[in-house]
Amino acid sequence: MEVKRPPGGRRTIRTVRFGHEILRQADELACFTEDAPRLTRRYLTPQHRQAGNHLLGLMREAGMDAGFDALGNVVGRYRAAAPDAPVVMSGSHMDSVRNAGRYDGLFGVLSAVACVRDLSSRGRRLPFTFEVVAFGDEEGVRFGVTLIGSRAMAGTFDPAWLEVKDADGISLREALAAFGGDPEGWRTLDRRGSGVVAYVESHIEQGPVLLNAGLPVGVVTAIAGGSRIRVTVGGLAGHAGTVPMGARRDALAAAAEMTLAVERIASAPGRDGAALVGTVGVIEARPGAINVIPQDVVFTVDLRSSSDDARRAAVTELREAVAAIARRRRVEAGFDEFYRFAAAPCDAGLQDALAAAITRQRVPVRRLASGAGHDAMVFPPLCPTAMLFVRCGANGISHHPDETMTADDAEIATAVLLDFLEHHDPRGSK
Ligand code: HGY
Ligand code: MN
Ligand code: MN
């Protein structure tokens, strides 16, 4: 079957082994949602269990030993010929944001499983055990903290997270027990010292760079770090019809000015010239009546940069701006940076190995940074870490149902990952 290439010339004949099947599997998995016809799949929900069982089936069909671990991650292993061989990990997350696209996270799991299916169909074993993980929580939609499964594997799980509660007042500890997991089992997931020599994750780009470059794949150079902040504003409720404007302590008007401060600070170059992005994604105002001046507002801030210094300086500047606006408007303000994750560099050697695999697929190599966070960002302290990006269509939109990719690009990305695996010599890793 002739595979049409993006501008840059026609490809010669290539057997299409993976692409259509991966997109079909992603369609199947999109059915495991909390709010059909939208796609929302949060951590430790029945839909997580259903999607996990489906992934277990795909992993086992492909020739892997597979199961849920104590924190609800789905782990599949394609064993090496030698029993004490090192481990190369891949995968991505199986949870989603609200009203999500169907490729964010799951493409990295399905592509890695497709590699195993091809290897085992040929009876090919690798010089390392290939471990594919579908992480149960990367987005942090349910509990606010992110990367729970991957941090446990990287040895940086914080047991205080077990007491964090979701919007229904259910703690992570209770949700894990109800799911059939083991709240104290996080210790068993720690992979430090267990022979993991590389982590390589495939993921949709979630941006327009590859699309604009006319390229199907790219090598990630670094993953942006982030701060998650909760701002609380306390004003004074009052009658919307009788309180003069000059006498008000309107919490929502203050929060609106603070939101514009987020936009202003993030739109300027960072302290060391690095770019920043800032988002107020959630806001709640109480008492929430049309004819009552808002008294209590809570909103979230997501601040990111490839430079940790620039991000830290921006957080400080925003804290000061919030305090100044609160003073001037005679409201109370709380500023809680409840979560932060450092920017993560990708391993140069693995980047070059992915670039070589892309070249062997006769595709030009493009290196790019990731503005989105990924499970990969927690692995550099454990082992050399890299990411392969795949082109997104629809102007790179993601975290949205219009998120899209083509079977051809899924095909090429999976062929690149398989080529990387078949050429990877684990003795060359750390
Ligand atoms: O927020 C992120 O960057 C990722 O999608 N969790
Ligand atoms: Mn995401
Ligand atoms: Mn993702």
Side-chain angles (χ1 to χ4, degrees):
M1 169 188 176
E2 179 143 326
V3 172
K4 290 188 179 39
R5 306 296 304 140
R10 283 188 175 286
R11 277 186 80 69
T12 49
I13 293 292
R14 160 202 284 280
T15 49
V16 178
R17 296 175 285 174
F18 315 111
H20 293 285
E21 178 60 6
I22 286 171
L23 298 197
R24 192 191 61 75
Q25 291 169 358
D27 290 344
E28 282 181 340
L29 283 152
C31 298
F32 304 121
T33 176
E34 298 170 50
D35 56 359
R38 304 179 354 153
L39 170 55
T40 302
R41 185 168 54 242
R42 294 171 304 151
Y43 184 38
L44 301 176
T45 55
Q47 292 73 20
H48 169 185
R49 168 69 64 184
Q50 293 156 6
N53 286 333
H54 190 86
L55 287 171
L56 283 181
L58 295 176
M59 288 177 171
R60 289 167 181 158
E61 277 165 28
M64 304 172 94
D65 305 327
F68 281 95
D69 69 15
L71 295 187
N73 305 304
V74 174
V75 184
R77 286 188 184 87
Y78 185 62
R79 299 202 179 279
D84 57 351
V87 175
V88 170
M89 288 177 75
S90 184
S92 190
H93 59 95
M94 59 181 292
D95 65 321
S96 79
V97 295
R98 295 185 187 285
N99 197 21
R102 59 192 57 197
Y103 306 110
D104 176 8
L106 273 180
F107 172 74
V109 178
L110 298 173
S111 178
V113 173
C115 290
V116 173
R117 187 176 303 110
D118 189 85
L119 289 164
S120 58
S121 71
R122 292 183 275 135
R124 176 95 160 73
R125 289 285 167 176
L126 299 169
F128 47 84
T129 287
F130 183 47
E131 194 170 299
V132 179
V133 185
F135 296 101
D137 180 271
E138 183 269 350
E139 301 286 6
V141 171
R142 181 170 179 183
F143 293 100
V145 293
T146 68
L147 306 161
I148 291 176
S150 41
R151 281 182 183 274
M153 290 191 184
T156 53
F157 180 89
D158 179 350
W161 296 342
L162 290 168
E163 313 318 327
V164 173
K165 294 183 186 304
D166 67 8
D168 299 322
I170 300 170
S171 69
L172 173 56
R173 178 186 299 280
E174 292 161 337
L176 276 167
F179 186 80
D182 172 7
E184 294 307 328
W186 58 270
R187 294 178 177 83
T188 65
L189 274 61
D190 187 342
R191 304 305 301 272
R192 285 175 297 182
S194 67
V196 179
V197 293
Y199 176 85
V200 179
E201 177 173 350
S202 304
H203 199 289
I204 55 170
E205 180 202 331
Q206 300 179 295
V209 172
L210 293 174
L211 183 69
N212 295 339
L215 292 172
V217 292
V219 179
V220 176
T221 54
I223 304 165
S227 290
R228 292 189 166 190
I229 301 157
R230 186 174 293 110
V231 180
T232 53
V233 185
L236 181 62
H239 195 300
T242 58
V243 180
M245 292 307 287
R248 295 183 178 205
R249 293 171 52 214
D250 184 329
L252 187 50
E257 188 175 348
M258 293 168 185
T259 298
L260 292 177
V262 171
E263 186 181 53
R264 172 179 54 79
I265 291 167
S267 302
R271 163 174 291 181
D272 47 14
L276 288 150
V277 286
T279 311
V280 174
V282 180
I283 187 163
E284 290 171 6
R286 300 207 186 294
I290 189 168
N291 58 351
V292 178
I293 299 166
Q295 172 157 313
D296 295 300
V297 171
V298 178
F299 66 88
T300 62
V301 182
D302 177 316
L303 261 181
R304 309 206 194 182
S305 175
S306 58
S307 157
D308 289 339
D309 285 346
R311 174 172 51 81
R312 281 192 284 263
V315 170
T316 301
E317 186 179 352
L318 179 61
R319 187 193 303 271
E320 290 163 358
V322 164
I325 292 165
R327 277 194 302 275
R328 179 163 38 79
R329 287 175 170 269
R330 298 180 301 111
V331 297
E332 302 300 320
F335 188 97
D336 173 19
E337 184 186 9
F338 64 90
Y339 199 66
R340 67 170 73 94
F341 37 93
C346 291
D347 179 77
L350 289 180
Q351 285 188 51
D352 292 344
L354 282 173
I358 291 170
T359 301
R360 286 191 292 266
Q361 295 301 315
R362 299 190 301 284
V363 173
V365 177
R366 171 68 185 261
R367 296 182 196 233
L368 68 165
S370 172
H374 300 285
D375 288 295
M377 68 198 303
V378 307
F379 282 100
L382 178 74
C383 62
T385 299
M387 288 192 78
L388 178 70
F389 264 178
V390 198
R391 172 169 44 192
C392 271
N395 200 29
I397 192 170
S398 183
H399 282 189
H400 187 283
D402 289 350
E403 179 182 283
T404 183
M405 66 184 301
T406 67
D408 185 17
D409 289 353
E411 177 76 21
I412 293 168
T414 304
V416 166
L417 181 62
L418 181 58
D419 182 294
F420 165 82
L421 292 172
E422 294 202 83
H423 285 80
H424 185 64
D425 177 355
R427 291 165 305 174
S429 306
K430 180 159 98 175

